[in-house]
Amino acid sequence: LRWLRGLGVKYVVLTDAPTDYSSKHEAELLASGRSGLHPVSGSDRVTVFAVPDPKPIVTGPAPAEVVDIGQGHILVRLERPGRYRVAVRHSPYWRSDAGCVAKGSDDMLRLNARRAGLVRLEFRVGAKRALAAVVGNGAPNCP
């Protein structure tokens, strides 16, 4: 539960499809009823479980709302500037024109936003960024 909450997960889906090696134990735990998750919807083939007391994907000094998540971007609305935790694994390819993006002690993104409002985080890989990541110069230092 701590791991799911730390990633901002609200729901987990279990299907009757065969599992791969990496999800076998999780599927068995869900099916056993001992996971701590509560079934909220389902059919003969699918069960949806709710994570109790889920954490938001973005947390910080003021409320933040995830407006959109897509391939290569996250759009959030921040009530005020500040340092926010975004429950997404860090990579040197994350950037934002609204502030500095860095790696937190838990390997998740930290956004030090200079302004409130809509803030876009983008995942962009290019030759220049890839080279900077290889030589250890991939992300600016956040205060």
Side-chain angles (χ1 to χ4, degrees), residues 6-10 55-59 66 69 74 76 85-88:
L7 292 173
V9 174
K10 289 186 179 184
K55 285 174 125 178
I57 293 173
V58 180
T59 56
V66 176
I69 296 179
I74 303 169
V76 297
R85 177 187 184 268
V86 182
V88 173

Side-chain angles (χ1 to χ4, degrees), residues 4-140:
L4 291 170
R5 287 182 186 124
L7 292 173
V9 174
K10 289 186 179 184
Y11 298 100
V12 175
V13 177
L14 177 64
T15 72
D16 67 351
T19 58
D20 70 5
Y21 74 94
S22 68
S23 60
K24 180 181 177 190
H25 296 296
E26 287 87 350
E28 289 171 355
L29 180 61
L30 285 169
S32 76
R34 297 185 323 267
S35 68
L37 305 182
H38 310 292
V40 293
S41 181
S43 68
D44 292 339
R45 303 187 57 134
V46 176
T47 305
V48 179
F49 296 86
V51 176
D53 302 317
K55 285 174 125 178
I57 293 173
V58 180
T59 56
E65 175 189 9
V66 176
V67 176
D68 186 43
I69 296 179
Q71 186 172 344
H73 76 274
I74 303 169
L75 186 62
V76 297
R77 180 175 289 113
L78 305 177
E79 277 195 18
R80 69 176 203 219
R83 189 170 173 92
Y84 292 83
R85 177 187 184 268
V86 182
V88 173
R89 295 267 177 229
H90 174 267
S91 165
Y93 305 113
W94 281 105
R95 295 284 185 263
S96 177
D97 61 0
C100 171
V101 178
K103 181 179 184 178
S105 61
D106 60 355
D107 293 333
M108 298 293 158
L109 293 180
R110 294 299 186 275
L111 169 65
N112 194 0
R114 293 185 304 265
R115 61 175 173 79
L118 284 177
V119 171
R120 186 177 177 92
L121 293 152
E122 291 187 310
F123 188 90
R124 285 192 273 156
V125 179
K128 184 176 178 180
R129 287 197 170 120
L131 179 60
V134 169
V135 298
N137 204 10

